[in-house]
Amino acid sequence: MVHVGIGYDVHGLVAGRRLVLGGVEIPHAKGLDGHSDADALLHAITDAILGAVGEVDIGHLFPNTDPAWKNAPSRIFLEEAARRVKSRGGRIVNIDATLIAERPKIFPHLAAMKAHIAEALGLPVTRVGVKATTNETLGFVGREEGIAAMAVASVDLPENPNPES
Ligand code: MG
């Protein structure tokens, strides 16, 4: 049976941080602020996968008070979400996500992001969608104070999951 999950994340843009989105470092004057590498796209996708299998959200699995996740690559969180799908005998069908950023231009990096996400999840790249849009200069995204991401995941789970797994 196919289950769908949704994820959303925002991080503030600050000077002196790297900008990492979808596991890809993008040259820019500012980067995303956060405890981990603050990869809002991977966080949104992780939450979408966790939501599809009814797990607690990323902030509870990987608290920002835990020094283990200080500057951690968010791929760790994504891989853990995929592992939880597998442990229930499930498989991720597809992912789709949208980044909302005024600047920098995201489009040139989308292919690399998709490849990175697909590899982390063990999926063909054709099952990973990542798009980007601006916020038409409106609001905190428009003022370049932060970058937002939203994602959905569909996960095929057995109807009678083995309670042992
Ligand atoms: Mg986050």
Side-chain angles (χ1 to χ4, degrees):
M1 185 185 278
V2 171
H3 298 238
V4 173
I6 185 170
Y8 174 79
D9 197 30
V10 171
H11 283 269
L13 276 169
V14 293
R17 290 271 299 183
R18 298 183 312 143
L19 177 59
V20 181
L21 289 168
V24 176
E25 186 165 348
I26 299 173
H28 192 50
K30 294 181 190 174
L32 294 176
D33 196 17
H35 184 65
S36 65
D37 65 2
D39 189 327
L41 177 58
L42 294 195
H43 294 182
I45 294 171
T46 300
D47 254 353
I49 295 167
L50 292 171
V53 295
E55 293 267 2
V56 297
D57 60 71
I58 186 173
H60 283 84
L61 278 187
F62 304 102
N64 62 10
T65 48
D66 187 339
W69 314 124
K70 180 95 181 132
N71 295 319
S74 295
R75 179 179 176 134
I76 293 171
F77 313 147
L78 187 62
E79 286 174 346
E80 174 60 20
R83 198 191 62 74
R84 288 178 182 233
V85 170
K86 230 180 191 170
S87 75
R88 292 174 180 221
R91 70 182 179 96
I92 297 166
V93 178
N94 79 303
I95 300 293
D96 192 25
T98 298
L99 268 169
I100 308 115
E102 205 63 36
R103 277 194 329 129
K105 277 248 171 294
I106 302 294
F107 182 81
H109 307 284
L110 289 180
M113 291 180 194
K114 284 188 207 177
H116 184 264
I117 294 160
E119 199 210 334
L121 295 175
L123 288 177
V125 76
T126 50
R127 290 174 182 256
V128 177
V130 184
K131 297 94 61 199
T133 186
T134 70
N135 220 32
E136 295 286 340
T137 75
L138 297 170
F140 72 88
V141 170
R143 291 189 297 270
E144 300 179 38
E145 293 167 2
I147 287 176
M150 55 180 79
V152 290
S154 63
V155 174
D156 195 6
L157 286 176
E159 291 203 31
N160 297 303
N162 178 0
E164 242 76 58
S165 65

